[in-house]
Each structure stands twice: as structure tokens, then as C-alpha cells.
Amino acid sequence: MKKCHFENLIDEYLFDKLDEKQKEKFEEHYFNCPQCFEKMNQTDEMIAVIKAHGSEIFRDFYAPRKTRRSRLEPVLAFLTPRQWAMAAVSAALILVVALGVIPNRKTTSPEFLINDDLVRGSSITLISPVIDNLDQVPSEFRWQRLRDNIEYKLFIFHQKELLWTTTTKDNFVTLSENTMSLMAPNKKYSWQVKAFSPEGFLIAVSSPVQFNFVTSK
Amino acid sequence: MEKRKKDIDLDAIVAKYRPVVSFRVKKSIGVRTPDWEDVVNEIMINVVEKLKKGEFRGDSSIGTFIYTITSRRIIDFIRKKSKVLKHAPEPNPYLSPQEHVENRERAQWIADSIEKLKPKYKEILYLYYYQELSREEVAKKLNISPRRVSERVNYAQKLLRKVMRE
């Protein structure tokens, strides 16, 4: 089947990266082209799944070291699993003793779990909004900068469902009117920030913080 | 039946275009807006009325005709909703992460299928769709050409489409 040249615009349309004119043109097109519409619908569904289940689908990328295990396979085969377990237990014991004796100098970046995401590195401190009962829709979200060249992903949730998300290299996001209009007074929202290294690995996560506001404007 | 101009099959038109109109409405005003279904209903009623009155004269395609009605209604809706008309560019709203996920089993099944893809396809989906990097950025990260990125994205999609059509 011949490929429709509008197909190339599907992703950009779904991520809202087209300018107004291109967007209109593409929208008119998919009202007229069932093939493009079907493809777009499938891509949309796929992205929806990726967004909703990403942390579980892409576990390997969150904890990059796990994926390298394959190279270690010949080494792993050297001992049986039971022997490995024994070795691990002994190693752990030695480590505990050693750590107790040697005062730890430089700590290598720790690993911890937040909301099922395995995180290596530090956590992010959220700056504002961190209080309840704001008097209007928060227009700016701000958090502590970690270091340069980090990409932050901001998530806003309503109850447990993702309401809005964006990425930035700054340590704050200013919401547009459109985004602000997604939020209504007297409802509970929460927000969270994740940080990614230039290689795209998750390196830090903030705890989710709740907020709500009492009146709109 | 006799009254319809040129024997337009209204039921078929409604059946064909309702999903398209719904998609466009959801993308513009967001699934979070509970009124989105009402807006779709209004548009479809409007389309049927106009067709019955013979307002569609075939100057454009029927798709474009319905597209125009849809766009006008959406603009009205947004105007009414936000009297303050400050249209700051939307940074990056992938607004409908949960919209299809009503069917959790299907979503889980698709998720499992993505998980089973070869690492090189999974990695592409991760960077391109999950992290929303551009083709060029992904290319740089993986040290391959942007063209290669597109090829891999397309191939991964092709594999998933097979699953999704089942």
C-alpha cells in the first residue's frame, strides 16, 4: 500500500509539535483520509500505553546496570545459583563488617525505590507549591536544581491519574492558561518531578506533593 | 428517505465520522473536560441537520465539510470556557495518557508486547515516545542517523500494530 505523506506528521501532531497552520492542515487531512486516521488512532493508543505503563515497560532503562547482565553470563555460569547465593551472603557479611570498621568516605550514588522506580542518585526537593489551600491555580512549579544539563519531567496528577506533563531543562515550569484551566478548585492534585541524565536515564525523583486551591481567580 | 438530497446515507456518515470528530474534540479540549462527549453529540446533530437541509453542496469533500463544522464548534467552546483569551503556546501536552486505558486488560497486553520487543526497538520507543525526544536527539544519543531512528520507530510500530489489530 502506498504511504500517505501526511503519515509523517502523526507523531508531531499527537505531541502537539506542529504549528497552527500545519496542525489545521493535518486535521483536515485526517477527516478525509481513513488510513491516516486509523494509523493515528493506533499510535495514540500506543503512546497512551507507553505513558501510563512506561515505568514498568522500561524498567531496564531506569536501572541501566541490569541490562548489562548479559555480558556477565559466562561469569555467572561459573557457579551454580546456589553457590552464587552463598557467595553473595558471605560477601554481604564481609561488606557489613568492612563498612562497620572503615568509616565510609565517598559514598557512591545510592539506589532507592520511589513509586516502583529504581532510582540511583539523589532525590529532588520541591520548592513550590508545597502547601494546601492555595488561593488560586498555581501558575508556576519550582524545584531545587540538581546540576547542569539535566532534563526534568514534571507530572501533575489528579487523584492518581496523570493530568499533564512536560519536560524542561530549567528548574521551574510556568503553566499556560490552557493548562491551568485543566485544574478546578477544591480538588486534590499532586505533582512530582523526575530528573534524567543527558543519556536519558532516570537519576532522581521527588516525592509526590499534594496541593489544592480554594477559588479560581 | 425521499426527502434526502442525493440519497446521502446519514447513518453511514455518522458511523464513519463520529470517531474522527471525537478524536479531534478530545485532542482540542482534553478528555479531562467532562463536556467533551456533549460537544461531539452537538457536532454530529449539527452535521445531520445541515446534510438534511442540503447545505452540503459538494464544493469540498464531506470530510472537509464535517471538519469545518467541528472546528467552529471547538473554537466556540474554548471561547466560552475561557473568557480570558490568552493563548500561550502549550508547552507539551500529551493530554490523554489514560484515555484509552479504560480497557486495562488491553492496555496491559499492549504493554507486555512492548516489553517483549527487542532491546533496540524498546530503547527507541523509550527515548522517542516516553521521553519525547526528537528524532535528531535520539539519533545523537544512540549514535545512529535520524533516518535510522525513523526506520526503527516505524518498524517497532509495525510490530505493535499487528498486536493491536488482533
Side-chain angles (χ1 to χ4, degrees), chain B residues 18-89:
Chain B
R18 200 184 166 85
V20 186
V21 170
S22 299
F23 194 96
R24 167 94 166 82
V25 169
K26 280 191 274 184
K27 277 287 164 227
S28 320
I29 69 176
V31 245
R32 298 272 159 258
T33 317
D35 318 342
W36 77 263
E37 270 182 307
D38 297 340
V39 177
V40 172
N41 288 335
E42 278 171 40
I43 293 169
M44 292 323 292
I45 291 170
N46 203 316
V47 165
V48 170
E49 269 171 11
K50 281 183 190 279
L51 288 174
K52 277 186 181 165
K53 277 189 209 157
E55 282 183 34
F56 174 64
R57 289 181 200 91
D59 310 329
S60 62
S61 66
I62 181 93
T64 301
F65 178 74
I66 298 176
Y67 162 77
T68 313
I69 298 174
T70 308
S71 298
R72 267 191 219 138
R73 183 64 192 92
I74 289 171
I75 291 169
D76 277 359
F77 180 87
I78 293 172
R79 272 212 192 118
K80 259 187 222 158
K81 198 99 211 189
S82 58
K83 277 176 190 155
V84 203
L85 259 181
K86 240 196 264 163
H87 273 299

Side-chain angles (χ1 to χ4, degrees), chain A residues 45 47-53 161, chain B residues 96-108:
Chain A
E45 183 178 14
I47 298 175
V49 171
I50 286 178
K51 292 285 179 184
H53 294 252
E161 299 210 334
Chain B
S96 53
Q98 300 280 341
E99 103 192 49
H100 285 291
V101 187
E102 311 132 355
N103 191 342
R104 302 226 163 235
E105 259 173 43
R106 180 174 160 83
Q108 191 57 55

Side-chain angles (χ1 to χ4, degrees), chain A residues 15-216:
Chain A
F15 282 127
D16 206 17
K17 284 181 179 165
L18 297 177
D19 64 43
E20 243 0 84
K21 260 209 174 131
Q22 286 176 305
K23 197 172 147 185
E24 276 169 28
K25 229 176 165 181
F26 179 69
E27 281 169 343
E28 185 178 341
H29 174 75
Y30 75 65
F31 269 75
N32 286 293
C33 176
Q35 286 82 10
C36 276
F37 180 70
E38 197 200 334
K39 271 208 166 157
M40 177 175 67
N41 228 335
Q42 286 168 341
T43 308
D44 189 56
E45 183 178 14
M46 183 195 74
I47 298 175
V49 171
I50 286 178
K51 292 285 179 184
H53 294 252
S55 55
E56 126 209 6
I57 299 174
F58 302 116
R59 275 190 233 99
D60 301 358
F61 300 110
Y62 279 127
R65 263 177 225 171
K66 278 188 185 165
T67 55
R68 292 194 199 139
R69 210 176 265 169
S70 56
R71 278 190 212 156
L72 293 175
E73 258 160 33
V75 183
L76 286 170
F78 177 68
L79 294 176
T80 64
R82 195 177 282 261
Q83 285 170 320
W84 272 113
M86 287 300 291
V89 170
S90 352
L93 278 172
I94 294 170
L95 213 70
V96 167
V97 173
L99 284 175
V101 177
I102 309 159
N104 33 341
R105 284 174 243 161
K106 250 191 224 162
T107 43
T108 47
S109 53
E111 268 182 11
F112 47 91
L113 269 172
I114 297 180
N115 296 347
D116 298 335
D117 287 332
L118 180 62
V119 176
R120 179 174 292 112
S122 46
S123 99
I124 307 172
T125 310
L126 303 183
I127 297 177
S128 71
V130 289
I131 46 159
D132 265 351
N133 298 328
L134 303 160
D135 55 2
Q136 56 177 8
V137 199
S139 59
E140 194 190 81
F141 289 79
R142 194 172 277 277
W143 54 91
Q144 207 173 55
R145 180 184 286 281
L146 289 178
R147 54 187 149 89
D148 285 347
N149 209 10
I150 283 191
E151 197 166 80
Y152 301 95
K153 200 166 169 75
L154 164 73
F155 300 86
I156 301 179
F157 302 95
H158 174 232
Q159 269 132 21
K160 283 196 168 160
E161 299 210 334
L162 184 60
L163 183 70
W164 189 75
T165 179
T166 187
T167 50
T168 175
K169 291 209 161 155
D170 294 320
N171 62 327
F172 63 91
V173 164
T174 309
L175 303 191
S176 71
E177 287 282 336
N178 274 349
T179 312
M180 279 156 70
S181 70
L182 294 173
M183 290 184 268
N186 302 318
K187 286 192 177 174
K188 274 200 173 6
Y189 297 95
S190 61
W191 66 294
Q192 187 177 29
V193 175
K194 295 183 182 180
F196 295 88
S197 69
E199 293 76 37
F201 296 125
L202 183 68
I203 49 166
V205 174
S206 77
S207 314
V209 165
Q210 283 201 352
F211 67 93
N212 66 340
F213 60 96
V214 222
T215 49
S216 66

